[in-house]
Amino acid sequence: MMMGLLPYSYVHAKEPSKSEIRAAQVRIEFTSSTLSQRLARGDAGIAGRPVRIDDPVRVASISKLVVALGVMRLVEMRKIDLDRDVNAYLGWSVRNPAFPDAPITMRDLLSHRSGLRDSVDYIVPLDGDLSQVLAQNKAWELRHPPGNYFSYANINSPLIAAVMEGATGERFDRLMAQLVLTPLQLDACYNWGAGCSAGQRAKAVTLLRPNGDIARDAPVNGADPCAVYPATNGSCDVEVLYKIGKNGSAFSPQGGLRISAQDLAKIGQLLLKHGKPLLSEAVFDEMVSPAWTFDGSNGDDDKGYFKAYGLGVHLLDDGKGGQWIGHVGEAYSLRAGLWVNPKSGRGFVQYVTMVDEFAPVGHCFAACP
């Protein structure tokens, strides 16, 4: 089914009527130079407002792949060394308490082999300190040293963001806009920070639970009144309270990218073009080559869900001889996937909303639940 763009005419600033809303279903197929097919069905979380392929949506963990592109740009600029102890960039110490002499590297963090675990809250308040979160024993896998064992964990991402900030002196959202979003001419941003145009917030797809309750991005006109995780006292004064290199979580590097399916397809096209125009082929190859491959005991494969992982990139065997690279996104009743097949030169991005949180987890590959 081919669909063109519908004119954007209005935004409701009220809670939608739950009984009338249809789940959004969006899919774009592409090659390295063309968008070959576009599908958009359902509502953008607002009854009567059809979802469009250029509506920004929170794409959950696909955000991690885009962050990895930013990291690899800093690698190419020689501002970050993938194998250097991240303490050299932070100005504070991060260590697994069971392995105090083992350095943790950006390569470990990007490939989920750092030893960090989501047994602590990876959402740090605006005035919070990530070092205090990571000082807790329960934040760590205490059986395996860094670099040895894979276990997917969101908490790696705030630390990655803090390292990026420490290496550059720039705030994470602004840094991602400078390194990735603006050069690719994407109208996108992390937690409605730098990179999005003034009108994007009002166009956002509101993520709803299956019963119609709002999960994220309630409809508003204008700017989001509190786009980041607020401080412990409820304040959202980012300019005053956010400390570069000390938090890393406020702009949600693990899942907070707001981007349209149309713009996300441009990320996919970059993957098909071996990183061009952002990365050299050598640096791109390092990003998408397997940093970890499951051998039966060297990680948590999540019942076969993970078989290989690069640097911020999930490597997927489709069981039919096809090898794909990309990432899945699953949060707030959204299921999404960005996947490309370098051999065939084709890829797709798709997402659905209003998914039951207890639906079987999949790759959002052949189909989204």
Side-chain angles (χ1 to χ4, degrees):
M1 178 178 179
M2 297 291 292
M3 295 192 65
L5 297 182
L6 300 173
Y8 181 77
S9 58
Y10 63 92
V11 172
H12 288 283
K14 64 180 181 179
E15 185 171 346
S17 173
K18 295 179 181 181
S19 63
E20 299 175 353
I21 300 170
R22 303 168 298 160
Q25 301 178 25
V26 176
R27 180 182 172 97
I28 297 179
E29 298 177 13
F30 54 84
T31 67
S32 63
S33 59
T34 63
L35 301 184
S36 58
Q37 189 172 15
R38 302 167 182 151
L39 167 68
R41 292 184 182 138
D43 295 322
I46 304 296
R49 199 202 112 194
V51 69
R52 309 186 316 165
I53 63 169
D54 66 340
D55 285 335
V57 63
R58 187 185 189 277
V59 293
S61 289
I62 297 173
S63 307
K64 296 178 174 71
L65 186 154
V66 182
V67 169
L69 290 173
V71 172
M72 299 311 284
R73 287 215 71 194
L74 293 176
V75 169
E76 195 136 47
M77 296 173 184
R78 300 182 182 277
K79 293 187 176 181
I80 285 180
D81 183 330
L82 290 170
D83 298 306
R84 191 179 185 189
D85 187 339
V86 296
N87 288 353
Y89 305 104
L90 291 170
W92 48 274
S93 179
V94 54
R95 283 289 187 269
N96 184 325
F99 304 95
D101 297 324
I104 295 165
T105 70
M106 191 65 102
R107 191 184 302 277
D108 298 333
L109 294 168
L110 288 167
S111 61
H112 296 278
R113 296 176 300 137
S114 67
L116 285 167
R117 297 292 180 268
D118 287 341
S119 49
V120 291
D121 193 350
Y122 52 83
I123 298 175
V124 182
L126 183 57
D127 58 344
D129 189 331
L130 183 60
S131 68
Q132 295 179 8
V133 177
L134 301 187
Q136 302 175 64
N137 281 11
K138 64 180 181 177
W140 298 91
E141 161 61 60
L142 302 178
R143 297 171 299 170
H144 304 283
N148 282 20
Y149 192 88
F150 174 93
S151 186
Y152 187 89
N154 287 290
I155 197 169
N156 287 300
S157 295
L159 185 53
I160 289 170
V163 173
M164 294 173 73
E165 291 180 341
T168 63
E170 184 60 272
R171 202 175 76 189
F172 171 76
D173 64 315
R174 294 169 178 161
L175 190 58
M176 286 302 302
Q178 294 167 15
L179 293 172
V180 179
L181 307 176
T182 300
L184 292 178
Q185 298 182 332
L186 308 178
D187 200 340
C189 51
Y190 281 80
N191 273 13
W192 303 111
C196 280
S197 63
Q200 281 296 87
R201 177 62 186 89
K203 294 168 56 179
V205 175
T206 298
L207 298 182
L208 304 176
R209 305 295 185 189
N211 66 358
D213 288 346
I214 293 176
R216 287 303 298 264
D217 290 346
V220 298
N221 288 301
D224 195 300
C226 188
V228 300
Y229 301 117
T232 50
N233 65 358
S235 171
C236 281
D237 193 337
V238 177
E239 299 296 334
V240 171
L241 296 175
Y242 188 78
K243 305 300 181 184
I244 290 175
K246 302 293 185 182
N247 185 312
S249 169
F251 293 96
S252 191
Q254 74 279 354
L257 177 64
R258 269 59 168 203
I259 188 170
S260 68
Q262 183 169 258
D263 274 352
L264 195 56
K266 296 178 184 178
I267 297 289
Q269 290 175 321
L270 177 146
L271 299 179
L272 288 175
K273 291 185 286 190
H274 306 285
K276 295 179 181 177
L278 291 186
L279 301 174
S280 69
E281 191 157 340
V283 169
F284 177 75
D285 284 346
E286 187 163 19
M287 175 180 167
V288 301
S289 296
W292 169 85
T293 302
F294 187 53
D295 67 5
S297 62
N298 65 340
D300 177 7
D301 70 332
D302 195 9
K303 300 178 181 179
Y305 186 71
F306 294 107
K307 295 181 180 179
Y309 205 89
L311 303 180
V313 182
H314 192 163
L315 310 180
L316 177 66
D317 179 349
D318 63 13
K320 302 176 182 179
Q323 303 294 323
W324 298 76
I325 61 175
H327 215 285
V328 70
E330 299 169 349
Y332 298 110
S333 294
L334 171 135
R335 298 287 172 87
L338 168 63
W339 297 102
V340 303
N341 185 320
K343 185 175 182 179
S344 70
R346 304 190 69 84
F348 63 88
V349 56
Q350 62 182 0
Y351 69 85
V352 298
T353 63
M354 301 182 74
V355 177
D356 185 344
E357 292 283 350
F358 297 101
V361 174
H363 296 287
C364 204
F365 179 71
C368 296

